[in-house]
Amino acid sequence: MASFSFGAGNAAKLLRIPLYLAGRLATWIIPRSRDEWVFGSAVGIADGALALWDHARGEGEQAVWIVADDRQAAEAAARGIPTVRKGSAAAFWRTARARVIVVTHGFGDVDRYAAAGAFIVQLWHGIPLKRIGLDSPATVRTPVAALNRVAGPVIAAMYRATQRRIGLIPAASHLVRGRLESAFALSDENVPVTGEPRVDVLSSGSPESRRRAALDGLSAALHPDAPSERDHLSGARDAPMQTAAALSARSIVLYAPTWRDGAPDPAIPSRDDWTAIHAMLEEHDAMLLVRSHPLGAGDYGAGLGDRVRMLGSDRVADVTPLLPAVDVLITDYSSLVFDALLVPVPTAFLAPDAAA
């Protein structure tokens, strides 16, 4: 996925103000149904939205998933999930008609122009270890620094008004609840402490069954017949197939840095670093999996091979179910550290830009 920054996103948002106004007018005219739900997630058919989908459909709710591309459509079809394509007239209509809208990142997960007036469930995609939303200066940044003083307050006001439409955002704890309330300008009644649906997979079944399922999923993700673009360009396509049995015999290390508002990952190894990393992996019969943030950037091509593989969102939309297959997590201030604790997975912190 291409890199994204709030500056560029906010500039586009300001240019789209007429579309927001037109959408708001349409939602005043179009009556909402009493029983329709619309789901969407920036990462695809995954995350907390999928967990809630399974529950809602089990309760007989009428729902549809808004997909961004053919890959998401195929994943939905394999699960028997009806879909409409994002950006289409059908997506606008279904969003404008829905009584309940479920998202994991933002209103752009569905149709951003038709969300007003629905009951919005925001299943945020991670516990905020770092500052997010209104608590982060990056949220109201523009591409031109000189404009931040003027445009920043306008963007903040727009963001606050938009996020206050959220009817429900579940929190994992009372501490997390306070952070979510501050980040999204919400009151206590909108942020109940219920736990997060996206991590239910880490408590269902036995530890052994979760690990088997995770190893099977990881083996499928690393299959050489389904290479990511970056693996293909770097020659890692020729890496041998990793069966679940082979993976279980190795120590699996996952490196997962978080998003830095469009900046590249700060800890990309040098050539000498890669030499040392490969020697260590060989010595301990280990494999390093690299997962940049879906909206992040990082060129790890120089180090890819049998023992170093990419595990980006182009291979696995949601890495949470695969955590039971991981032996060590290396991260910085990614919310993945909290998910790993539920397995549990030992975690090492690497944040070379922490001072910045």
Side-chain angles (χ1 to χ4, degrees), residues 5-16:
S5 71
F6 267 118
N10 286 335
K13 186 177 296 184
L14 291 172
L15 293 175
R16 292 196 299 258

Side-chain angles (χ1 to χ4, degrees), residues 20-237:
Y20 283 103
L21 294 176
R24 188 61 182 270
L25 178 61
T27 56
W28 280 336
I29 298 173
I30 299 172
R32 292 203 173 270
S33 70
R34 294 184 178 182
D35 57 358
E36 293 185 22
W37 292 42
V38 164
F39 286 72
S41 175
V43 297
I45 315 302
D47 217 289
L50 181 56
L52 183 55
W53 171 277
D54 290 338
H55 178 76
R57 288 306 296 265
E59 294 294 317
E61 301 293 349
Q62 300 300 308
V64 67
W65 198 296
I66 296 183
V67 296
D69 51 39
D70 291 341
R71 177 182 175 181
Q72 292 182 13
E75 292 173 353
R79 293 177 176 271
I81 298 176
T83 63
V84 294
R85 187 58 63 97
K86 184 182 294 186
S88 66
F92 179 88
W93 176 256
R94 297 300 294 266
T95 304
R97 288 278 294 149
R99 177 174 66 90
V100 179
I101 293 174
V102 181
V103 298
T104 62
H105 289 67
F107 298 163
D109 291 352
V110 286
D111 189 301
R112 67 179 77 246
Y113 308 115
F119 184 84
I120 296 171
V121 179
Q122 167 62 276
L123 301 175
W124 191 249
H125 50 282
I127 293 175
L129 178 58
K130 61 184 180 183
R131 288 181 294 174
I132 63 170
L134 292 169
D135 295 329
S136 171
T139 302
V140 298
R141 189 175 295 156
T142 67
V144 182
L147 296 179
N148 285 337
R149 181 172 296 182
V150 175
V154 175
I155 295 171
M158 292 175 58
Y159 187 88
R160 184 176 289 105
T162 300
Q163 300 308 313
R164 281 177 173 166
R165 296 178 188 171
I166 295 172
L168 176 70
I169 177 169
S173 69
H174 288 283
L175 175 61
V176 175
R177 179 187 203 177
R179 293 180 178 180
L180 292 173
E181 289 174 359
S182 177
F184 295 104
L186 297 172
S187 61
D188 285 356
E189 63 184 10
N190 302 115
V191 192
V193 178
T194 62
E196 298 184 341
R198 64 186 184 82
V199 295
D200 286 352
V201 66
L202 297 179
S203 60
S204 60
S206 66
E208 293 77 16
S209 65
R210 293 195 293 269
R211 179 166 172 80
R212 285 196 301 270
L215 287 168
D216 288 340
L218 186 56
S219 176
L222 296 177
H223 197 288
D225 290 341
S228 69
E229 180 180 1
R230 278 173 289 187
D231 283 356
H232 175 72
L233 293 175
S234 64
R237 181 177 185 173

Side-chain angles (χ1 to χ4, degrees), residues 280-342:
M280 183 193 69
L281 294 173
E282 190 73 32
E283 178 184 355
H284 296 281
D285 192 18
M287 171 180 280
L288 174 64
L289 304 177
V290 180
R291 183 179 178 85
S292 288
H293 189 279
L295 295 179
D299 182 5
Y300 297 91
L304 298 183
D306 176 33
R307 293 191 178 274
V308 180
R309 303 289 297 275
M310 296 300 299
L311 192 68
S313 59
D314 49 358
R315 283 181 175 268
V316 177
D318 182 8
V319 75
T320 305
L322 302 188
L323 288 177
V326 174
D327 296 292
V328 177
L329 171 66
I330 302 174
T331 187
D332 38 33
Y333 8 90
S334 169
S335 62
L336 196 61
V337 65
F338 295 112
D339 304 340
L341 288 171
L342 298 175

